[in-house]
Amino acid sequence: MTTTITTTLPPLSHHHLRRTNLPSFHKPLISTFPKPSPMHFIPLTRLRSTTGSNIIIPNLPTLHNAILLVQSSPPTWQSAIFTNLLIFLLGSPVLVTGLSVSGIVAAFLLGTLTWRGFGPSGFLLVALYFVIGTAVTKVKMAQKEAQGVAEKGKGRRGPGSVIGSSAAGCVCALLSIYGAGGKSFTRLWELGFVASFCTKLSDTVSSEIGKAYGKTTYLVTTFKVVPRGTEGAVSVEGTVAGIMASILLASVGCFLGKIKVAEAVVCVLASQIANVGESVIGAVLQDKEGFKWLTNDAVNVINISLGSILAILIQQLVLRYWLP
């Protein structure tokens, strides 16, 4: 026989329960450090190579800051100067083939102004002009030198040539930087900028190709046959090459978004009218008594200014009623 014993336990009250104080984890055990400021620069890292020489390399934050500076939008004077210093240092082997030392200094000022006014796309347009212009200047250099029609210094251009080629573009850049005329005029200054370099590239290519390959050169005012290199002379070969160069640069400007398709046509048209005007000035006035001041650089300024102004006038008088 089995006997069952039942025991009744008293209920537990809250006095019997002990509260255990456990550590709180609502705060992180590891403190977080503040993120470095984007403009915070850390000193360069100095390493010692196996040969014992010191190697200085920039650390990652510094490189990051440099990239941010180059990518500044809209461009600032600081970003324009820094970017041009970097480009000119890396591109110095190419620059010295087409420019004298003083010409490089003038080109640096032009590049800085262009980057500040029209950004990387404007700078790229000027760089393309420089590359093509330098290349055609070198074409058949020995032949040109033998005929006495080559550019001085093996085609390396000085500050006068740089200024003569870019004066109108620099004015357009300054007008854009300081907002002359308000936002509605910004596109006009871009158009004038592109047109000025289309004009100058067309002039350079037509002149250099004409001196290298022109079979017959004619004086633009009388169509009389004259020797190559005569002021105011034109050739079929040079003229065709100049038109193609203008079309190329205007197309690049359109591709980069600086101008519209119809405005690219305007740039080509304005450049050819300006180049004819330059040839007339060269034939009628240059090297004549009382016009000794009218040097090639001075004529270049007149030429590119005329091309720039014509493009703006055509846009205002014609295209503004057709383009949206």
Side-chain angles (χ1 to χ4, degrees), residues 15-217:
H15 297 290
H16 294 87
L17 298 177
R18 291 184 178 180
R19 183 176 179 180
T20 304
N21 294 324
L22 297 176
S24 175
F25 293 97
H26 69 278
K27 293 183 180 180
L29 295 178
I30 302 176
S31 61
T32 57
F33 294 94
K35 295 182 179 180
S37 170
M39 295 307 295
H40 177 67
F41 287 87
I42 299 177
L44 298 177
T45 302
R46 185 183 298 272
L47 301 177
R48 183 172 293 277
S49 66
T50 55
T51 60
S53 59
N54 289 328
I55 302 176
I56 299 177
I57 59 173
N59 51 36
L60 291 179
T62 302
L63 289 175
H64 178 65
N65 291 333
I67 294 173
L68 290 178
L69 190 60
V70 171
Q71 294 177 338
S72 297
S73 182
T76 62
W77 285 114
Q78 184 182 12
S79 67
I81 294 172
F82 174 78
T83 304
N84 272 266
L85 279 173
L86 183 62
I87 293 174
F88 272 62
L89 286 174
L90 296 176
S92 56
V94 177
L95 290 171
V96 296
T97 63
L99 296 170
S100 64
V101 175
S102 55
I104 292 176
V105 174
F108 176 80
L109 297 177
L110 164 64
T112 300
L113 193 59
T114 298
W115 192 285
R116 175 64 179 84
F118 300 113
S121 57
F123 185 91
L124 182 60
L125 198 73
V126 176
L128 181 61
Y129 155 77
F130 171 76
V131 170
I132 297 176
T134 300
V136 296
T137 301
K138 303 291 185 182
V139 172
K140 290 195 174 184
M141 178 59 73
Q143 172 187 305
K144 294 175 185 176
E145 288 178 332
Q147 295 175 348
V149 296
E151 285 289 328
K152 298 178 181 179
K154 296 289 184 180
R156 297 176 67 205
R157 300 178 186 270
S161 179
V162 173
I163 295 172
S165 302
S166 63
C170 288
V171 171
C172 289
L174 285 172
L175 291 172
S176 177
I177 291 170
Y178 293 104
K183 291 184 178 180
S184 60
F185 278 73
T186 301
R187 294 285 300 180
L188 286 181
W189 307 142
E190 286 187 322
L191 174 62
F193 175 81
V194 176
S196 71
F197 283 100
C198 285
T199 301
K200 185 52 192 160
L201 181 62
S202 179
D203 173 53
T204 300
V205 171
S206 62
S207 175
E208 296 298 333
I209 295 300
K211 288 186 288 188
Y213 297 103
K215 295 180 180 179
T216 307
T217 52

